[in-house]
Amino acid sequence: AEEDFSWFDLTEIELLRVKCLPHTLDVLRASSLYTPFHIQLSHKTQRARAHRRFIELLPPESRNVEDSLRVRVSTEQILTLPELKANPFRERICRVFSTAPERDSLSFEDFLDLFSVFSDAATPEIKSHYAFRIFDFDDDGTLNKEDLKCLVNCLTGDGQDTQLTSSEMKQLIENILEESDIDRDGTINLSEFQHVISRSPDFTSSFKIVL
Amino acid sequence: MALARCRYTPPSPKIRGSRKSILEYSPSSECPDPASALPPTMTSTAGTWNSGGGEARLGRSPSCLLLRLFFFFSPPSPLSRRAAMSDTSSVSRLSWNGNRDDSFLDYNLLTSMTVSFLQELPSYRSIVRRRTSILSRDKSGGTLLKPASSEIRSYLETGKSEREHLGSQSIRKYALNISEKRRLREIQEAQVKYLSDWDQWKQYSTKSWKRFIEEAKELASHLELWKNDIRSIEAKFGTGIQSYFSFLRFLVILNSVIFTIIFLFILLPIILTKYKITESTFLILPSNEVDMRCKVYPVNSTGLIYFYTYMIDLLSGTGFLEWTSLFYGHYTVDGIKFKNFTYDLPLAYLLTTVVCLALSLLWIVKRSVEGFKQNLVRSEEQFQSYCNKIFAGWDFCITDQSTAKLKHSSIQYELKTDLEEERIRKKIAERTPEETLRIYSLRMLLNAIVITVLAACFYAIYVATVFSQEHMKKEIDKMVFGENLLILYLPSIVITLANFITPLIFSKIIHYEDYSPAFEIRLTLLRCVFMRLSTICVLVLTLGSKITFCDNEECRVCGYNHKIYPCWENQFGQEMYKLTIFDLIINLAMTVFVEFPRKLLVTHCSSWKVIRYWGQQEFAIPDNVLGIVYAQTICWIGSFFSPLLPAIATVKFIIIFYVKEISLMHTCRPSTRPFRASNSNFFFLLVLLIGLTLAFIPLGISMTHIPSSKACGPFTNYNTSWEVVPKTISTFPSALQTFINSITSEAFAVPFFIVICLIMFYFIALAGAHKRVVVQLRQQLAMVRWHPK
């Protein structure tokens, strides 16, 4: 089965590694799911690893490869992953990458999407685009003062004693807007955000999750 | 559906030459909707992100106005006008249409226009003009939909055909989810049929090349040294400490490369000859003009050796070690005669050292170029720091709950300190003249104290070195074991003590100087760096002065004190060797006798208030970095006098890596004071560069000014070590000789220097002009927003 080996596919080698039954390969090949993904996880091992982690979240009866590529996992289960458990933005991440109508569950494709954006191979533009969506708490397409306030509170931690005082918060948000709001409309839109991020040296190294 | 509104127009063969955009947003075109061809399960309905609220803004959004402004500024071209019309028509369509299921690709086309406007800034344009490859243009854009914006940009700038754009577009760069990427790929594949064979082949070959490169990168990443260790350190302790370990790994690799070069060019010929692997002989030329008194080199009797003499020799490089290939004195040959040619060992010895230093310099500069660019941008716009801390503040690698809590508190601490510092800066700006005068006079006084402390340390090192040198020559059996070692290691001990005490003094003094907190840290660090690295220089210069100092007629014969130092390069080599060994011993001792007991005390006796106050060990990054830079500087200085020293340094750094890793994992807690990764890489390499520059000084002086010893070493027939080079050049053909002479003369050097200064001034002026344009454009943007025409 080596002749089918091509770079961007979930190959038989990977599927064998995740211990699937042989006949499911025929099922997969027949379905239109067996198509190139063109995702950032360029390492085959990383994609196989992602698939293994995803399968662990599923209930035992749907742990075969067929179902795993079709079934969706609820957000609560995704949040039990150790990579996301300690992250203050975990709910936002799940919401952003979910393609379900109610935004409350992730399929394997969404899962792969998530880890591919957070991998090393994703370009800074992709990362900054998704970072903008994650930080946009009210989903209105811009970062206004309320979004920034939620963002800062997420960063400093939950709890009364860890938050900044209101005067400090005001000073901080004024400083942020002064640095990044180019057109002085009081909000940060995507292009201003990407412009700021492109000059931020730490962004690429901090916006990454290792599987 | 997300892509349903983007009509795909397959370019027919006859219009291949003209520039037609692939994704035209014109409502009238006759093409099949690719989305409908897919099975219904594949389409996603949640491709939209911006809901109705964003859409309502579109009609009067700043991006809309900027769009018009952009097309006003850009040179007119038929397609750009058509694109403008189609875009404005799509904008008007969007504002009329209450469809929530709006394509976010449309919206992002508008924002991409905004970004394109921002990219009209001259700095960006000059970068783009320099770049010729398509791929790099893609990378530099902040856009989401690559074909449209890069097309328009290309029309305005180069006018290349977009065929190449489409073919080589990697779908990876799009910020869409997987199902939409799949659809885009089908569009691309359908489009492939319309390309000529040549274009198809080009597309195929670029794709296969990219795959090959990625596979090679994956293979190379498997070979990376200590990858898993560093990754687990990063996960637990963050990127600041991980950068320290990456730096250590870089030094290991650098030292092993240096040693490989030294081995190939110096050791290998000698080993081949000594063990008769090839038929070559050593060549020893008699020297007539050298006085025989300089050639006397008394050999210590090799009778019965006591064990502790053996240990002392091992630790200090004297005795049996002095004659091994560890030191300079072993290489007392003038050449090696192979079958067809004569290998000039003196020249090889000198050039190898020079090449190793040059290689280190180039490698460090290459590594620091990225960090410097970022640091320059950062320091230029000091008001970027808040955005960086907020938007890039959270380290998504953190998986541990306790580490996360620590990160939260460190972010809070950092924000509070920054805001506090801003308030202090405002206060400083409002200082009265009397206060300023008082503070400046206080600062001068404190700087004078710092200089006295430094001078006192240097004098202590000088005295210790002189004492050690004078008493080293005493008979071994007249001394007690400990006394002997103490005298041998006296300079190292004094240096270590000085390096331990002075940072404490400096950190106390800086509080009174009333600087802002960030500047305080930087200044203390700078002083510690200077202290550490100049102690080595002082040691070497002391030795040098002792070697060339003679109060009677002795020196006139050979140029140096041949009675006490018949082979002075060996002495240098021994001092460097002793410093290296002592540094390693101190590191191990600190870990075993200080860090582990501290951890044990804290865990088991935490009821005592003193212990609790002392607390668990924190991994102090600046001190550790200074330690390894110090070790590397010693290695560089010593590489000329002791060719095996880089190998010893490699082994030492490997040991230190594992020791520090174990100590970190078991005794340290993550630091509350954050040390940012980007800053740290640049800082480490800068300190290393300072070390390298300081290593050049003693090497340069000893190579060119102090006469080489006539009793040992490869340079017995030359006045100084550097003389090998002019003598070799004089054997070249005369044309080459005149050429080299002209390059190294002043008539060439001075105009060259002036030209380089002019180029530098030009770039500084250009940067200033760019800054002014940026400020003007910003004002224009703000004006446009508030006063739309």
Side-chain angles (χ1 to χ4, degrees):
Chain A
E2 284 294 321
E3 67 273 9
D4 249 330
F5 184 87
S6 78
W7 183 252
F8 295 109
D9 304 345
L10 253 181
T11 63
E12 285 131 52
I13 300 169
E14 289 171 72
L15 294 173
L16 287 170
R17 232 187 273 166
V18 300
K19 294 196 192 69
C20 70
L21 299 167
H23 78 271
T24 53
L25 296 175
D26 304 313
V27 171
L28 275 174
R29 240 181 261 126
S31 79
S32 49
L33 288 167
Y34 197 60
T35 48
F37 285 131
H38 279 272
I39 51 177
Q40 319 287 350
L41 291 178
S42 58
H43 293 197
K44 315 187 273 291
T45 42
Q46 281 189 4
R47 264 176 288 143
R49 222 180 288 160
H51 192 257
R52 222 174 301 144
R53 302 297 294 280
F54 187 75
I55 277 189
E56 283 161 16
L57 294 170
L58 294 172
E61 61 270 8
S62 34
R63 280 210 184 153
N64 52 6
V65 182
E66 238 177 271
D67 286 334
S68 70
L69 295 171
R70 247 201 297 264
V71 148
R72 304 189 88 95
V73 172
S74 69
T75 316
E76 291 82 42
Q77 287 236 271
I78 299 275
L79 294 180
T80 59
L81 277 176
E83 283 86 5
L84 290 179
K85 235 195 313 200
N87 199 317
F89 300 108
R90 53 190 181 271
E91 281 120 14
R92 282 297 306 163
I93 292 175
C94 289
R95 220 184 129 74
V96 162
F97 283 97
S98 164
T99 49
E102 300 87 33
R103 308 286 208 93
D104 61 352
S105 56
L106 291 172
S107 66
F108 178 58
E109 286 181 6
D110 301 331
F111 192 77
L112 266 187
D113 231 354
L114 204 166
F115 283 103
S116 78
V117 166
F118 281 104
S119 77
D120 277 326
T123 59
E125 285 81 36
I126 299 245
K127 284 189 195 266
S128 55
H129 169 76
Y130 278 97
F132 187 72
R133 290 174 64 175
I134 291 172
F135 294 153
D136 188 9
F137 284 82
D138 49 12
D139 281 328
D140 64 351
T142 57
L143 300 180
N144 54 15
K145 290 199 176 135
E146 292 306 315
D147 289 327
L148 290 175
K149 206 161 160 184
C150 289
L151 175 58
V152 173
N153 284 332
C154 272
L155 283 177
T156 56
D158 327 308
Q160 282 295 80
D161 53 341
T162 55
Q163 297 189 347
L164 299 177
T165 65
S166 57
S167 63
E168 281 173 343
M169 182 71 82
K170 192 158 158 300
Q171 187 189 355
L172 179 61
I173 292 182
E174 266 171 28
N175 283 327
I176 295 174
L177 285 176
E178 192 186 311
E179 286 174 11
S180 53
D181 190 13
I182 299 177
D183 54 7
R184 302 273 174 261
D185 62 350
T187 63
I188 304 176
N189 60 20
L190 177 63
S191 42
E192 287 163 352
F193 183 77
Q194 284 184 323
H195 188 243
V196 160
I197 289 294
S198 68
R199 310 169 75 160
S200 161
D202 292 328
F203 181 70
T204 328
S205 56
S206 64
F207 201 73
K208 110 178 136 184
I209 293 181
V210 174
L211 257 184
Chain B
M1 302 307 126
L3 280 180
R5 315 272 315 280
C6 308
R7 300 294 176 185
Y8 165 62
T9 322
S12 50
K14 55 183 184 305
I15 56 168
R16 201 180 304 156
S18 74
R19 302 156 182 183
K20 210 150 154 52
S21 62
I22 175 170
L23 289 159
E24 282 216 68
Y25 289 83
S26 55
S28 63
S29 57
E30 48 313 296
C31 73
D33 184 357
S36 55
L38 293 168
T41 49
M42 300 304 298
T43 55
S44 78
T45 51
T48 62
W49 148 61
N50 55 323
S51 47
E55 192 201 327
R57 287 163 51 89
L58 279 175
R60 266 170 286 123
S61 72
S63 38
C64 201
L65 302 164
L66 286 169
L67 183 76
R68 295 205 185 104
L69 199 61
F70 169 67
F71 284 109
F72 175 72
F73 277 148
S74 61
S77 81
L79 186 72
S80 68
R81 242 180 258 132
R82 186 203 292 176
M85 286 188 320
S86 64
D87 286 325
T88 44
S89 70
S90 73
V91 166
S92 49
R93 248 183 314 128
L94 291 168
S95 58
W96 287 118
N97 230 327
N99 192 3
R100 293 189 69 94
D101 205 13
D102 208 327
S103 161
F104 88 158
L105 295 168
D106 283 344
Y107 172 74
N108 288 310
L109 173 67
L110 294 177
T111 52
S112 70
M113 293 300 141
T114 321
V115 175
S116 311
F117 177 74
L118 282 172
Q119 278 141 11
E120 290 296 314
L121 296 177
S123 49
Y124 177 75
R125 294 197 67 121
S126 55
I127 292 173
V128 163
R129 236 178 275 125
R130 259 182 263 131
R131 290 194 191 151
T132 51
S133 70
I134 299 160
L135 227 48
S136 50
R137 223 180 288 139
D138 287 339
K139 277 188 203 145
S140 53
T143 56
L144 302 173
L145 199 56
K146 299 300 173 183
S149 59
S150 60
E151 267 187 343
I152 290 177
R153 232 184 296 141
S154 68
Y155 295 148
L156 297 176
E157 284 161 351
T158 63
K160 260 195 187 150
S161 142
E162 81 281 7
R163 199 69 57 221
E164 290 145 20
H165 286 274
L166 299 167
S168 57
Q169 288 300 326
S170 169
I171 295 191
R172 285 188 189 192
K173 305 236 174 72
Y174 301 158
L176 308 167
N177 60 29
I178 288 182
S179 33
E180 284 163 3
K181 281 187 195 168
R182 225 182 261 135
R183 247 173 279 140
L184 249 163
R185 185 171 206 262
E186 274 148 27
I187 294 174
Q188 268 193 1
E189 274 176 354
Q191 193 229 349
V192 161
K193 289 194 272 296
Y194 292 96
L195 291 176
S196 67
D197 286 328
W198 167 251
D199 287 325
Q200 272 187 19
W201 181 84
K202 244 193 350 180
Q203 209 177 324
Y204 173 73
S205 66
T206 31
K207 274 211 176 117
S208 348
W209 175 248
K210 264 190 265 187
R211 288 182 194 185
F212 171 72
I213 291 284
E214 281 174 13
E215 211 162 314
K217 270 195 207 156
E218 183 175 0
L219 264 169
S221 72
H222 283 308
L223 297 169
E224 220 177 280
L225 190 63
W226 293 318
K227 190 164 89 126
N228 291 330
D229 291 298
I230 293 187
R231 236 191 204 171
S232 62
I233 290 174
E234 183 176 7
K236 200 161 175 226
F237 288 94
T239 25
I241 293 183
Q242 175 258 339
S243 55
Y244 165 78
F245 283 94
S246 307
F247 181 62
L248 194 51
R249 175 176 64 188
F250 162 66
L251 284 180
V252 167
I253 298 174
L254 178 69
N255 277 322
S256 48
V257 166
I258 289 180
F259 179 65
T260 316
I261 297 177
I262 289 181
F263 180 78
L264 282 176
F265 290 102
I266 302 179
L267 284 173
L268 194 63
I270 291 194
I271 290 177
L272 287 176
T273 315
K274 201 156 141 190
Y275 296 105
K276 310 228 185 309
I277 299 172
T278 60
E279 287 166 19
S280 47
T281 53
F282 289 125
L283 190 69
I284 298 187
L285 300 170
S287 52
N288 304 323
E289 45 296 343
V290 175
D291 199 322
M292 285 319 288
R293 279 177 286 174
C294 303
K295 285 193 166 285
V296 171
Y297 192 8
V299 179
N300 288 332
S301 62
T302 53
L304 186 66
I305 301 179
Y306 293 107
F307 178 70
Y308 70 78
T309 325
Y310 189 83
M311 282 306 296
I312 291 179
D313 287 341
L314 197 64
L315 287 174
S316 66
T318 48
F320 77 96
L321 268 185
E322 205 167 330
W323 292 102
T324 58
S325 57
L326 180 59
F327 291 117
Y328 174 94
H330 176 76
Y331 302 92
T332 316
V333 289
D334 292 303
I336 295 180
K337 213 168 143 63
F338 286 96
K339 250 182 281 190
N340 306 331
F341 64 99
T342 311
Y343 186 75
D344 194 354
L345 192 74
L347 185 67
Y349 195 95
L350 187 77
L351 284 185
T352 312
T353 313
V354 171
V355 159
C356 287
L357 289 176
L359 173 75
S360 312
L361 179 67
L362 286 173
W363 203 339
I364 295 172
V365 167
K366 174 182 161 306
R367 253 180 99 96
S368 62
V369 157
E370 293 101 36
F372 180 67
K373 269 194 236 168
Q374 285 170 355
N375 210 45
L376 197 61
V377 167
R378 265 187 72 240
S379 60
E380 214 181 75
E381 309 240 29
Q382 274 293 46
F383 36 87
Q384 268 273 182
S385 60
Y386 284 106
C387 281
N388 189 35
K389 286 198 180 89
I390 296 294
F391 295 136
W394 183 260
D395 196 351
F396 281 67
C397 283
I398 293 178
T399 54
D400 199 23
Q401 279 289 14
S402 47
T403 323
K405 220 185 293 191
L406 240 104
K407 184 78 180 172
H408 283 305
S409 51
S410 80
I411 291 180
Q412 188 200 7
Y413 172 80
E414 202 179 339
L415 287 175
K416 281 195 151 106
T417 20
D418 276 348
L419 293 169
E420 170 90 23
E421 185 168 328
E422 195 185 333
R423 284 195 288 267
I424 288 179
R425 239 185 279 150
K426 279 202 188 118
K427 209 175 58 145
I428 288 178
E430 296 157 5
R431 256 197 219 139
T432 63
E434 295 94 33
E435 260 179 55
T436 325
L437 193 66
R438 184 184 73 87
I439 292 215
Y440 275 125
S441 50
L442 184 65
R443 279 186 197 165
M444 272 205 301
L445 176 68
L446 290 170
N447 274 315
I449 293 182
V450 164
I451 292 177
T452 14
V453 166
L454 283 176
C457 291
F458 292 163
Y459 184 68
I461 295 169
Y462 170 76
V463 163
T465 313
V466 164
F467 183 79
S468 163
Q469 289 292 312
E470 277 167 12
H471 288 83
M472 219 163 56
K473 304 290 178 175
K474 265 209 271 191
E475 290 300 321
I476 291 177
D477 42 320
K478 289 198 191 134
M479 279 196 240
V480 184
F481 174 69
E483 188 191 345
N484 198 356
L485 260 187
L486 191 70
I487 289 185
L488 283 170
Y489 272 88
L490 196 61
S492 325
I493 295 173
V494 171
I495 290 180
T496 312
L497 273 176
N499 286 331
F500 185 71
I501 295 176
T502 41
L504 300 171
I505 300 180
F506 290 155
S507 51
K508 282 282 170 310
I509 287 182
I510 199 107
H511 285 307
Y512 296 103
E513 293 190 52
D514 202 13
Y515 289 116
S516 64
F519 190 71
E520 264 185 27
I521 298 174
R522 258 183 263 152
L523 191 59
T524 321
L525 217 56
L526 202 67
R527 286 179 179 156
C528 292
V529 165
F530 180 70
M531 171 70 207
R532 272 246 176 170
L533 297 178
S534 32
T535 49
I536 313 175
C537 266
V538 167
L539 174 68
V540 168
L541 288 174
T542 317
L543 274 177
S545 69
K546 271 216 67 89
I547 288 167
T548 49
F549 168 77
C550 19
D551 47 1
N552 46 23
E553 299 294 301
E554 287 171 6
C555 289
R556 234 171 12 98
V557 181
C558 313
Y560 57 92
N561 198 339
H562 65 270
K563 284 266 169 59
I564 309 179
Y565 301 107
C567 190
W568 58 267
E569 286 97 343
N570 265 10
Q571 297 295 326
F572 263 55
Q574 279 163 4
E575 286 298 327
M576 296 299 127
Y577 174 77
K578 276 188 276 183
L579 279 175
T580 309
I581 300 286
F582 190 69
D583 191 42
L584 178 64
I585 292 175
I586 286 287
N587 264 314
L588 291 173
M590 284 289 287
T591 310
V592 170
F593 295 121
V594 175
E595 290 178 16
F596 274 99
R598 181 172 176 175
K599 163 83 178 197
L600 284 171
L601 274 177
V602 170
T603 31
H604 294 298
C605 306
S606 54
S607 47
W608 299 356
K609 232 172 63 171
V610 178
I611 305 282
R612 241 202 328 242
Y613 180 69
W614 197 23
Q616 220 180 353
Q617 169 98 346
E618 266 184 27
F619 192 87
I621 298 177
D623 295 328
N624 282 301
V625 165
L626 280 181
I628 55 179
V629 167
Y630 168 75
Q632 182 61 40
T633 312
I634 296 174
C635 171
W636 274 321
I637 295 180
S639 62
F640 181 71
F641 306 108
S642 163
L644 291 189
L645 202 59
I648 297 176
T650 312
V651 171
K652 175 181 167 184
F653 284 143
I654 293 177
I655 294 175
I656 287 185
F657 184 92
Y658 284 114
V659 163
K660 289 280 176 201
E661 189 188 352
I662 293 172
S663 156
L664 178 73
M665 292 297 198
H666 290 113
T667 66
C668 290
R669 64 181 158 102
S671 138
T672 44
R673 246 190 175 187
F675 199 89
R676 258 198 312 241
S678 64
N679 204 4
S680 47
N681 269 326
F682 175 63
F683 161 69
F684 298 167
L685 293 165
L686 180 70
V687 175
L688 196 62
L689 262 180
I690 295 177
L692 182 62
T693 320
L694 281 176
F696 278 138
I697 299 176
L699 274 179
I701 292 180
S702 60
M703 270 197 240
T704 53
H705 275 95
I706 306 183
S708 56
S709 27
K710 307 293 180 280
C712 62
F715 301 106
T716 50
N717 286 333
Y718 301 98
N719 206 1
T720 62
S721 319
W722 185 254
E723 220 181 72
V724 156
V725 173
K727 275 208 179 150
T728 316
I729 291 181
S730 61
T731 62
F732 286 172
S734 64
L736 196 57
Q737 261 187 60
T738 39
F739 176 66
I740 292 179
N741 283 333
S742 61
I743 287 188
T744 51
S745 67
E746 289 97 10
F748 176 78
V750 170
F752 183 68
F753 178 71
I754 291 180
V755 164
I756 290 201
C757 281
L758 283 174
I759 295 177
M760 196 173 67
F761 284 135
Y762 165 70
F763 278 117
I764 294 175
L766 192 66
H770 282 174
K771 257 199 253 187
R772 280 196 293 276
V773 174
V774 165
V775 167
Q776 277 179 6
L777 280 172
R778 277 192 165 194
Q779 287 169 351
Q780 236 164 14
L781 272 173
M783 217 167 54
V784 160
R785 196 261 177 271
W786 290 113
H787 307 285
K789 296 210 178 77

